[in-house]
Amino acid sequence: MNKAIKYRVYPTTEQSIMFAKTFGCARKIYNLMLADKIAGYQTTGKIPMVTPAMYKQEYPYLKEVDSFALCNVQLHLQAAFGNHFSKARKKRTGFPRFKSLKNSRKSYTTNNSHGTVAVSDGAIRLPKIGWVKAVIHRQPEDGWLLKSATVSQDPDGKYYVSVLFEIPDPVRDHVPDLSNAIGLDYASDGLYIDSNGNKGTNHKYYRESHEKLAKAQRRLSRMQGSRKGEKRSANYEKQLRKVNRIHRHIANQRLDHLHKLSTEIANRYDVVCAEDLDMRSLAGRGFGNGRATMDNGYGMFLGMLGYKLSDRGKYLVRVNKWFPSSQICHRCGKMHPEMKDLKIRVMDCSCGHHIGRDQNAALNILREGLRVLNESLAA
Ligand SMILES: [Zn+2]
């Protein structure tokens, strides 16, 4: 099974010049080959085979760009002719047309050959281009094979790289074991507490980086250029770059950590029931510390869990945020409205149940989630 992930990339000026050159060469070679195929067909009645190598003598600049990009144009054109003359009517398409500068997509496709294309933290590697800064919103998983990458530029000038992976077929008859389930309760001071009482937290280095960031920002604020309208000094620019570097580092650390945690859970459990939250309203309501809430990436974490579980034929059940998970005694079902007070950390029930507030909530979320899941599976 193939899977494509499209990443936004931010090339340097030098890299964007190379992209433009490659787009241009891909279009040029397409038009040259198409013209020769048509001419050959008109004189011999057969469509001649043409390769990019045939044109490199006459157009030496073709040698400057990624050769895979040109090879893929050849394959693309062959497929276009194949489809046009296809006997199956469904596949049949129009006759291949020339690409004009105005009316053609700026793109090219390159192939991975032993790591020439790679996805890493915050960057994508491409042949002849090197590492291009990128937003890696999703990391490829273990066992995924990187096949090819398509670079494109949209009409607004934004650049994207769509990376194609070959991924192992999901086990088709994997029947999820509904008893292999876990409940997650959102925790504002960490990430979540699970129904076994374990805490999923943000990485400790993350705090350290934050201290570093605060220090760097304080230094920046004292430099000439920090006030509006003030001319920025060279030191200010230098410090600003440092601040931005720490920001990027923190974002990568966080993403990395969320990926690790979510992969672990998706591998281990068949059903995950999690408290669903409206992160925006939470941050706005001053639920604890607004920044801690936004920073801890719970929403991002649930998103990752969602697709990782579904890739494995498993379930993520989001339990409605209005479900009073922290007020119900998990053992006897009695309601405890006093638990609305976040300061009460332990539930003491008349049934004799004595349990930490968060674990009790996680257990209730698990039970509610399984109820919802069973209901929807029965429907
Ligand atoms: Zn009770």
Side-chain angles (χ1 to χ4, degrees):
M1 196 165 88
N2 286 336
K3 187 178 192 95
I5 304 179
K6 194 172 178 178
Y7 299 101
R8 174 91 188 265
V9 296
Y10 297 88
T12 61
T13 310
E14 221 175 23
Q15 289 171 331
S16 59
I17 290 170
M18 199 59 187
F19 279 159
K21 261 191 188 174
T22 317
F23 297 150
C25 286
R27 190 171 58 86
K28 179 77 183 171
I29 201 86
Y30 175 94
N31 287 339
L32 287 170
M33 290 197 283
L34 178 57
D36 281 347
K37 275 177 184 283
I38 292 170
Y41 184 65
Q42 282 167 346
T43 50
T44 67
K46 275 186 195 146
I47 297 165
M49 170 85 176
V50 287
T51 66
M54 294 162 57
Y55 304 95
K56 287 188 178 173
Q57 193 93 43
E58 195 177 342
Y59 304 94
Y61 59 84
L62 294 174
K63 290 184 214 161
E64 289 171 30
V65 303
D66 185 351
S67 59
F68 277 120
L70 306 182
C71 282
N72 282 312
V73 173
Q74 182 194 349
L75 295 177
H76 172 78
L77 191 58
Q78 263 166 24
F81 269 93
N83 286 339
H84 176 69
F85 292 106
S86 168
K87 292 216 168 63
R89 275 186 86 184
K90 245 196 193 159
K91 275 177 90 180
R92 212 176 300 164
T93 50
F95 193 82
R97 272 185 288 185
F98 288 99
K99 291 184 195 291
S100 73
L101 185 58
K102 266 188 185 166
N103 306 316
S104 70
R105 212 168 89 88
K106 288 179 181 163
S107 83
Y108 75 89
T109 298
T110 185
N111 299 23
N112 179 27
S113 159
H114 308 288
T116 52
V117 181
V119 176
S120 130
D121 284 348
I124 292 174
R125 182 190 205 170
L126 294 165
K128 292 259 181 180
I129 304 281
W131 291 98
V132 191
K133 205 178 126 192
V135 178
I136 307 300
H137 61 281
R138 177 165 186 190
Q139 285 279 356
E141 291 176 38
D142 287 346
W144 290 17
L145 203 66
L146 202 163
K147 308 272 285 181
S148 63
T150 299
V151 181
S152 63
Q153 187 184 18
D154 74 7
D156 292 342
K158 293 182 199 136
Y159 293 93
Y160 296 90
V161 175
S162 178
V163 183
L164 189 73
F165 298 94
E166 192 181 298
I167 68 175
D169 281 329
V171 188
R172 228 157 279 228
D173 9 80
H174 172 78
V175 180
D177 173 4
L178 298 194
S179 67
N180 181 21
I182 194 168
L184 307 179
D185 178 47
Y186 166 73
S188 64
D189 60 336
L191 192 62
Y192 62 81
I193 303 275
D194 71 24
S195 44
N196 302 321
N198 299 316
K199 198 168 179 178
T201 54
N202 279 310
H203 207 279
K204 71 179 166 92
Y205 296 126
Y206 178 60
R207 287 264 167 249
E208 284 168 23
S209 306
H210 260 292
E211 277 155 29
K212 219 166 136 190
L213 176 65
K215 212 166 136 193
Q217 277 172 330
R218 273 198 304 275
R219 281 189 69 178
L220 182 70
S221 71
R222 287 195 294 266
M223 288 175 171
Q224 192 207 316
S226 64
R227 251 160 297 204
K228 222 178 175 182
E230 210 172 37
K231 195 182 178 303
R232 288 176 171 189
S233 63
N235 279 336
Y236 179 91
E237 295 284 357
K238 201 174 149 198
Q239 184 67 12
L240 184 64
R241 279 197 295 277
K242 196 172 167 189
V243 167
N244 287 336
R245 205 161 51 234
I246 302 173
H247 265 301
R248 275 201 303 279
H249 180 68
I250 289 176
N252 282 336
Q253 266 188 332
R254 173 170 69 174
L255 210 61
D256 229 44
H257 183 60
L258 293 179
H259 271 299
K260 272 190 199 121
L261 272 180
S262 54
T263 301
E264 259 173 45
I265 293 179
N267 285 339
R268 196 152 154 207
Y269 297 97
D270 283 10
V271 181
V272 179
C273 307
E275 182 176 24
D276 203 6
L277 289 179
D278 179 351
M279 297 307 290
R280 248 184 324 180
S281 78
L282 247 186
R285 231 187 284 148
F287 215 92
N289 176 337
R291 212 193 65 189
T293 306
M294 289 310 277
D295 274 359
N296 89 9
Y298 183 77
M300 210 190 269
F301 172 72
L302 280 194
M304 292 174 179
L305 256 183
Y307 65 68
K308 287 178 187 180
L309 286 163
S310 107
D311 278 356
R312 291 163 174 76
K314 300 174 171 187
Y315 300 104
L316 172 71
V317 189
R318 288 171 183 255
V319 171
N320 192 298
K321 61 173 172 162
W322 301 116
F323 176 70
S325 54
S326 50
Q327 296 174 51
I328 303 168
C329 168
H330 184 68
R331 191 198 273 170
C332 72
K334 191 181 164 199
M335 281 294 279
H336 291 260
E338 77 275 9
M339 297 304 291
K340 278 185 196 162
D341 182 353
L342 288 168
K343 284 198 284 291
I344 305 178
R345 303 310 303 168
V346 174
M347 174 181 277
D348 269 308
C349 187
S350 52
C351 72
H353 202 38
H354 177 85
I355 188 173
R357 150 189 206 100
D358 296 321
Q359 192 185 358
N360 181 64
L363 282 164
N364 285 327
I365 285 163
L366 173 60
R367 186 190 280 159
E368 172 67 5
L370 286 174
R371 186 191 67 78
V372 171
L373 179 64
N374 275 308
E375 210 169 64
S376 72
L377 289 177

